């Protein structure tokens, strides 16, 4: 009985809700893909908010292990590495040589995420006039060939969901009742997950597996 009540409530909620669509843009990057079939791969600690780091790290390990198997290691699971805690994006040849000497790996994966804007929550009543805003987040994935000391893949994807100006009050209310639906938006964390998945799809299309 309890489960049935919850199910009915869920369908009622959905029927009075509207979902906005997030957009994802490939901003910049070298999109030639990589060759996953050889070499030892090292995934760096993700540069992202602590609240989402464990989940994103798990997703990244799952994706790259799919193609590299036990040739992939996570940086905190390997002892004796001589590398700084944070590797800045777009490193030069000198830094890549240091990574090669300090790790002994062939390929290095560096991932950074950022919440650019967070103007509203995931669920809001969309009835206020002149109410607008944007949630925006970005993900950058870089892969380095440490033997050649060069970047072989770099991609930046930006995810955005926007709240446009709502109509004036006399269009949104009738006899004191809200006419508009509840609006569901993707928050910054969800946009990060969506952007990361699109980079994975891009790698799938362009890489040798």
């Amino acid at each position: 009985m309890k489960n049935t009540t919850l199910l009915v409530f869920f369908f009622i909620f959905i029927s009075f809700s509207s979902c906005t669509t997030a957009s994802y843009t490939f901003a910049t990057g070298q999109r030639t893909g990589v060759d996953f079939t050889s070499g030892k791969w090292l995934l760096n600690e993700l540069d992202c908010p602590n609240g989402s780091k464990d989940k994103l790290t798990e997703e990244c390990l799952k994706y790259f292990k799919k193609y590299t198997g036990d040739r992939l290691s996570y940086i905190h699971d390997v002892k004796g590495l001589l590398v700084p805690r944070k590797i800045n994006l777009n490193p030069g040849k000198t830094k890549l040589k240091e990574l090669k000497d300090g790790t002994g790996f062939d390929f290095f994966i560096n991932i950074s995420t950022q919440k650019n804007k967070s103007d509203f929550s995931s669920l809001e009543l969309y009835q206020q006039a002149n109410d607008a805003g944007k949630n925006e987040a970005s993900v950058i994935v870089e892969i380095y060939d440490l033997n050649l000391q060069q970047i072989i893949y770099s991609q930046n994807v930006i995810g955005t969901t926007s709240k446009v100006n709502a109509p004036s009050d006399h269009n949104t209310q009738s006899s004191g009742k809200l006419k508009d639906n509840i609006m569901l938006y993707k928050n910054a964390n969800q946009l990060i997950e969506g952007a990361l998945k699109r980079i994975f799809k891009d790698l799938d299309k362009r890489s040798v597996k």
Side-chain angles (χ1 to χ4, degrees):
M1 183 68 181
K2 183 178 180 180
N3 289 338
T4 302
T5 302
L6 289 174
L7 189 62
V8 171
F9 176 80
F10 173 76
F11 281 113
I12 292 174
F13 175 79
I14 291 297
S15 67
F16 284 95
S17 302
S18 296
C19 297
T20 60
T21 302
S23 62
Y24 295 91
T25 304
F26 284 80
T28 58
Q30 176 181 334
R31 299 170 64 187
T32 55
V34 300
D35 185 348
F36 284 118
T37 61
S38 63
K40 294 169 56 182
W41 296 69
L42 184 63
L43 175 64
N44 192 24
E45 178 181 344
L46 274 64
D47 181 14
C48 65
N50 288 330
S52 57
K53 180 172 291 187
D54 289 345
K55 182 178 181 180
L56 293 177
T57 299
E58 182 179 352
E59 291 181 3
C60 290
L61 286 170
K62 180 179 178 181
Y63 173 81
F64 287 106
K65 278 185 177 293
K66 179 172 62 175
Y67 299 124
T68 61
D70 58 7
R71 291 181 290 111
L72 174 75
S73 299
Y74 181 50
I75 195 166
H76 291 309
D77 295 334
V78 183
K79 297 180 180 180
L81 297 180
L82 300 176
V83 293
R85 179 169 184 149
K86 181 177 180 180
I87 307 298
N88 292 329
L89 296 171
N90 194 30
K93 282 185 172 292
T94 300
K95 177 57 68 176
L96 293 177
K97 185 178 185 305
E98 291 176 358
L99 282 175
K100 176 62 180 180
D101 295 340
T103 67
F105 281 75
D106 302 299
F107 301 97
F108 190 88
I109 305 164
N110 208 14
I111 300 176
S112 177
T113 75
Q114 185 172 344
K115 297 180 181 180
N116 301 328
K117 291 182 72 67
S118 185
D119 290 339
F120 44 85
S121 62
S122 299
L123 187 155
E124 292 202 353
L125 293 177
Y126 186 72
Q127 80 278 4
Q128 300 297 323
N130 300 318
D131 191 8
K134 177 191 292 186
N135 288 347
E136 182 180 282
S138 59
V139 177
I140 298 176
V141 174
E142 293 184 346
I143 301 177
Y144 316 135
D145 186 324
L146 300 183
N147 297 313
L148 298 177
Q149 295 163 21
Q150 65 184 28
I151 300 173
I152 57 174
Y153 183 85
S154 175
Q155 193 51 252
N156 178 14
V157 171
I158 300 173
T160 306
T161 183
S162 299
K163 177 165 58 173
V164 299
N165 288 333
S168 59
D169 288 344
H170 69 273
N171 289 327
T172 59
Q173 297 184 7
S174 176
S175 301
K177 296 182 179 180
L178 295 179
K179 182 180 178 180
D180 283 321
N181 293 336
I182 297 170
M183 299 300 294
L184 304 178
Y185 299 94
K186 288 189 179 297
N187 59 35
N189 286 334
Q190 292 170 321
L191 291 172
I192 286 174
E193 292 177 20
L196 184 62
K197 289 179 181 178
R198 277 154 181 79
I199 292 178
F200 289 163
K201 287 182 180 180
D202 185 66
L203 269 170
D204 279 341
K205 291 188 297 184
R206 302 175 187 278
S207 299
V208 179
K209 303 181 284 294

